Amino acid sequence: VADAVVGSLVDVVGPGHVLTDADVRVGYEQDWTGAFGGPARAVVRPGSTAEVAAVVDACRAASVPIIPQGGNTGLVGGGVPEGPGPPGRGEIVLSTRRLQTIDPVDAAAGQITVGAGVTLLALQERLAPLGFEVGVDLASRSGATLGGMAATNAGGTRVLRHGTMRGRVVGAEAVLGTGATVTHLRGLTKDTTGYDLAGLLVGSEGTLGVITALRLVIDPRPAQRAAALVATTGFDAALATAVGVHRRLPTLEAAEVVDGATVELVMATLDLPPPVAGHPTWYVLLGAAGPGDEAEDLARALDATAGPSAVGVIDAVVAGDGPRVDALWRYRDRATESLAAAGPPRKLDVSVPVSALAAFVAAVPDAVARCAPGAVLHVFGHVLDGNLHCNLLGVPSGGGHRVDDVVLDLAVGLGGSIGGEHGIGRAKRSFLHLVRSPAEIDAFRAVKSALDPAGILNPGVLLPA
Ligand code: FAD
Ligand code: LAC
Ligand code: ZN
C-alpha cells in the first residue's frame, strides 16, 4: 500500500524529492523541541504549486494524511507525525522548503510576494539592501519559513509596533484539502469581494490548506536601532519600566522580559559575561527603531521612567550600534535554545491581559510547585503583548499533563489564552475547550470539513479528535 502512494509521489516530484530512507527522513520527523514526532511514510518536497496540488490529489485518492511542514521550528508538535503510534499510520510530510521564489519588491505598495518556503532570514537579507524589512522578527529566523509563520500566526519581538503575521498577510495562494488551488495575491488595500480566505489560513496550522505563496506587507527599514537591558528586583519593576518607556517613546518596538534564572542559564550555556552586576530577579529588554538617535532617545525615556528614585531598578545598559545591540539581545533571543539544551522543557506559551500579568507571575510558581514538585520554572516573553513563555525543567515523568492544565487554567482564569503565538498543535489540543466555546469549536469543524472534507490535512492538530 505504502509503495503505491510513494510511487505516485515519485511520479509527481521525481525520485530525488521523495525521501524514504530513515536516516534522511529523521530531520523532518522529529520536532525542534525533541518532544514530538514519529515515523512518516515518506517526506515529499514539491517544487511548485502545481506539484503541491498533485501531491494533495495523490494523497487524497489514497486517504493518506499529509503533514505540511516549513522550517520545522514550531514548538507545539504541529508539523511532525503523531507517533509513536501504531506503525504505518502512514503520514506524508509535505515539506515546503523548495517553494523559494521571492518576487521583486513592490515599493509603491510596500508589499512583496514570496514562496511559502522562504525563510524569514532569507527575506530579511533580500529586503535590507532595498531599504525594507519584514516587520515581524523571531529568534528562529534562520529556519522559520513565511508559510509556517503565517500558518501559526507567529508573533515575535516586534508585535508591539508591527503586529503579528495576521497583519502582514494581505494575500495568499494555497492548495486546500479539497485539492483546489486558491490564489488571491493582488494585495489590494481595498477589496470587499467576499470571504477572507488568506485570513482564514493564518493561524490554521496546516489543517485547511497548504500555503504555497504569500503577499506580505513590508515596512521601510529604520535608520537606527538601539536596545537597553534593565536589571530589576522584581517583575513589577520590570513591567513598570516597560510601560513607562512605552508611554514616553513612540519609536519603542520591543519590550521583552526574562527572569534571572533564564538569563543565568543563557550565560552558562553560551559562556557569556553577566550583562550587569548583582543578581537581578527580572530583566527587561527594550528595543527602539527610528530615524533619530535612538540610543539617546531610549536612554532619556529610561531615565525619566527608571531614574534613581524608581523602585526596583538596579542597573541598565544602553547600546546604539549593531554589534552591541546584538550582544544585549543574546540574553533574550538565546533563551529558547538554552532551555532546550538543558531540557527538553515543558513549554507553555500563554497570554493574559497586561493588567493581569503581575497576578499571573505571582501565582505561577506556587501552582507549579503544587503539581510538579522539584520542577524549575523559567519565564520570559513579550511583556507588553501580555505574552509569557513558561518553561518547566525537570517535570516528574507522568506529571506533564497536570502541570499544563494548572498553568493554562491560571492564564484562562485571569482572562487570558492558552496560546499566545505558537499555536495549539498537538501539545494543547485537549485544552482548546478552555478558551473556545462548543459553538466556536463546531464552527471550526464546519470550516475544516468544507475545506478538507476527507480530513487529510494535519489530522489531530489544533482540533481534538
Ligand atoms: P513548522 O514548524 O514547519 O510548522 C508549524 C505549523 O505550521 C505546523 O502546524 C505546520 O503543519 C504548519 N505549516 C508550516 N508551513 C505551512 C504551510 N506552508 N502551509 C500550511 N501549514 C503550514 N514563534 C513565535 O511566534 N514567536 C517567537 O518569538 C518565536 N521564537 C522562536 C524561537 C526559537 C528559538 C524557536 C525554535 C521557535 C520560535 N518560535 C516563535 C516558534 C516557530 O519558529 C514559529 O511557530 C514559526 O512560525 C514556525 O515556522 P516553521 O516554518 O518552522 O513552521
Ligand atoms: C520566543 C519564542 C519561544 O519568544 O516564542 O523566543
Ligand atoms: Zn515568543
Side-chain angles (χ1 to χ4, degrees), residues 19-233:
L19 316 178
T20 50
D21 287 350
D23 51 345
V24 186
R25 291 191 331 249
V26 70
Y28 300 83
E29 292 178 334
Q30 188 68 55
D31 85 322
W32 191 94
T33 68
F36 300 94
R41 182 183 299 228
V43 177
V44 59
R45 298 165 38 103
S48 66
T49 301
E51 287 186 4
V52 172
V55 167
V56 172
D57 272 342
C59 290
R60 236 167 25 96
S63 298
V64 168
I66 297 173
I67 298 170
Q69 186 185 93
N72 196 13
T73 67
L75 300 174
V76 290
V80 289
E82 174 90 39
R89 288 175 55 91
E91 297 111 317
I92 296 288
V93 172
L94 188 165
S95 169
T96 61
R97 285 187 226 176
R98 287 179 65 224
L99 304 175
Q100 284 291 339
T101 50
I102 304 183
D103 283 6
V105 165
D106 180 344
Q111 295 180 358
I112 192 166
T113 299
V114 298
V118 173
T119 63
L120 176 58
L121 181 64
L123 186 56
Q124 287 173 332
E125 288 176 346
R126 177 69 66 91
L127 292 179
L130 304 171
F132 284 96
E133 62 180 20
V134 183
V136 172
D137 193 27
L138 321 169
S140 50
R141 58 185 78 75
S142 65
T145 62
L146 276 311
M149 290 169 59
T152 56
N153 187 19
T157 51
R158 295 180 185 160
V159 171
L160 180 62
R161 182 111 151 260
H162 300 279
T164 66
M165 276 301 281
R166 181 171 297 289
R168 300 276 121 194
V169 174
V170 289
E173 176 182 77
V175 178
L176 304 177
T178 56
T181 300
V182 289
T183 307
H184 199 72
L185 292 167
R186 292 186 188 134
L188 299 172
T189 302
K190 306 192 83 170
D191 186 12
T192 53
T193 55
Y195 299 133
D196 178 8
L197 294 178
L200 199 52
L201 290 163
V202 174
S204 65
E205 300 189 55
T207 62
L208 301 179
V210 181
I211 300 166
T212 52
L214 291 162
R215 182 77 174 174
L216 299 172
V217 174
I218 52 178
D219 295 329
R221 197 169 144 77
Q224 297 276 336
R225 277 209 153 88
L229 188 64
V230 186
T232 70
T233 57

Side-chain angles (χ1 to χ4, degrees), residues 138 155-157 256 332 336 349 380-382 387 389 421-422:
L138 321 169
T157 51
E256 304 281 311
R332 158 67 184 87
T336 297
D349 161 37
F380 64 96
H382 317 285
N387 182 198
H389 304 315
E421 57 176 8
H422 301 153

Side-chain angles (χ1 to χ4, degrees), residues 331-429:
Y331 296 95
R332 158 67 184 87
D333 254 6
R334 310 291 292 268
T336 297
E337 67 181 81
S338 302
L339 283 156
R346 203 86 199 166
K347 300 184 84 66
L348 294 162
D349 161 37
V350 299
S351 78
V352 295
V354 175
S355 57
L357 275 171
F360 179 82
V361 168
V364 76
D366 278 353
V368 168
R370 268 199 314 279
C371 60
V376 179
L377 173 67
H378 290 264
V379 183
F380 64 96
H382 317 285
V383 69
L384 292 186
D385 306 336
N387 182 198
L388 293 177
H389 304 315
C390 300
N391 285 255
L392 296 161
L393 291 170
V395 173
S397 74
H401 192 270
R402 171 90 186 105
V403 79
D404 292 359
D405 196 12
V406 165
V407 173
L408 299 176
D409 230 19
L410 181 61
V412 174
L414 290 165
S417 169
I418 65 168
E421 57 176 8
H422 301 153
I424 295 294
R426 300 183 196 285
K428 295 181 187 162
R429 60 189 171 194

